[in-house]
Amino acid sequence: MSDAKNSAGTALTLDLDLRLAREVGIHAARSAGGILRRRVDSIREVRHKSAVDIVTDVDLESEQEVCATLQAAFPTHTILGEEGGVRAGSDARFRWIVDPLDGTTNYAHGFPFFCVSIGLEVEGRLTLGVAYAPSLDELYVAEVGRGAVMNDRPIQVSATRDLMQGLLATGFPYDRAEFPRALKTFEVMSMHSQAVRRAGSAVLDLCYVACGRLDGYWEHDVKPWDMAAGALMVLESGGSVTATDGSAFNVDAGQVLASNGLLHASMTAALTGL
């Protein structure tokens, strides 16, 4: 690691014990993942936030577990949760971004592609990411400037250079009015790649890019809690993350294009050439 990168990381985490943050994030993700694993066959309530966007009582229980763990360790930090919204803290430099159950529809149907996701921003920069997929017992962790691991093993993006050999992923919006664009980009990227998958968890799609199972992922309508941890996984595994048009990535901007880096230009060209 370069001295410049070390210095940036040191300045970024001033007044924060990043080792403690990592331990707490992992503990919170595993604890919430345990809830998901235990409750998968005992969902008591499914509520519709929109026609096809659902939330279960397990989402809420998982988020309560994560937030309680984070607040106990870092009571001054802000937490943005998918279900509970913003829990404002007195120190605005630190923001935890939590998805207690990414892939709720999968979970409600017993489809084992879902996870808990926890990201930490320090002064607006993604600094720590933790994602836990309980069905596979896979724990992904990334720290800015220190790489990414899956179950403590270092991970890196794929070496695929030809988009026609690439396996890609995407997601579809809950707003059916936005379907035409999603379907068009799915068609275009399917024609430009080996195949496109749509499995229903943005967080795991990003983690799969990070560990080389996927070569790229894009989505035009996605929330901060779907991207925070996973985007850092990709970056720390040697990949690239931008907006879908290739401009700078912003976790609050609602869109993302992630790749192994080698395919980024061709994916951007395909998406912007529509």
Side-chain angles (χ1 to χ4, degrees):
M1 188 188 309
S2 69
D3 290 342
K5 201 167 189 180
N6 264 321
S7 297
T10 300
L12 188 66
T13 57
L14 190 65
D15 299 331
L16 174 70
D17 183 341
L18 190 53
R19 184 177 349 183
L20 175 61
R22 178 189 178 108
E23 291 174 356
V24 170
I26 290 173
H27 175 67
R30 284 196 176 278
S31 294
I35 291 171
L36 302 188
R37 190 163 45 238
R38 291 192 301 272
R39 295 288 315 281
V40 69
D41 294 319
S42 60
I43 300 170
R44 290 190 292 267
E45 179 184 1
V46 177
R47 177 168 52 85
H48 283 259
K49 295 190 281 187
S50 68
V52 293
D53 187 8
I54 64 173
V55 60
T56 73
D57 60 302
V58 186
D59 292 73
L60 302 178
E61 184 180 350
S62 176
E63 184 162 312
Q64 289 170 356
E65 176 69 18
V66 171
C67 291
T69 301
L70 297 179
Q71 287 176 321
F74 304 105
T76 65
H77 292 191
T78 292
I79 301 174
L80 171 63
E82 178 177 9
E83 309 307 336
V86 177
R87 296 166 174 84
S90 60
D91 193 336
R93 295 176 300 167
F94 305 106
R95 180 172 74 149
W96 295 86
I97 305 174
V98 175
D99 192 335
L101 173 46
D102 185 48
T104 298
T105 300
N106 290 346
Y107 185 80
H109 287 267
F111 186 78
F113 196 74
F114 54 84
C115 69
V116 180
S117 176
I118 303 171
L120 172 63
E121 280 185 337
V122 179
E123 296 182 342
R125 184 180 179 189
L126 293 174
T127 302
L128 174 70
V130 179
Y132 181 55
S135 293
L136 296 174
D137 193 25
E138 291 185 345
L139 177 72
Y140 297 84
V141 183
E143 289 182 41
V144 66
R146 301 193 64 180
V149 298
M150 189 269 283
N151 290 351
D152 295 323
R153 298 190 302 274
I155 55 175
Q156 62 183 22
V157 294
S158 73
T160 304
R161 293 179 175 274
D162 182 355
L163 186 55
M164 282 302 297
Q165 302 303 315
L167 179 62
L168 311 179
T170 191
F172 288 173
Y174 289 117
D175 183 355
R176 294 296 171 86
E178 299 296 325
F179 256 47
R181 178 173 63 175
L183 291 171
K184 181 61 177 177
T185 57
F186 188 95
E187 177 186 9
V188 167
M189 297 304 277
S190 295
M191 295 298 293
H192 281 79
S193 66
Q194 189 171 53
V196 177
R197 301 290 182 249
R198 192 258 179 175
S201 168
V203 176
L204 288 181
D205 285 340
L206 286 163
C207 289
Y208 280 21
V209 173
C211 71
R213 292 173 179 168
L214 293 170
D215 302 298
Y217 157 77
W218 83 95
E219 195 161 351
H220 288 289
D221 186 7
V222 63
K223 302 299 184 182
W225 43 81
D226 297 319
M227 298 186 285
L232 188 61
M233 302 290 175
V234 175
L235 291 170
E236 289 298 317
S237 299
S240 298
V241 181
T242 66
T244 54
D245 63 0
S247 60
F249 174 72
N250 183 329
V251 75
D252 295 302
Q255 56 172 288
V256 63
L257 169 59
S259 79
N260 64 1
L262 301 171
L263 299 181
H264 214 81
S266 53
M267 289 185 67
T268 302
L271 287 171
T272 57
L274 297 176

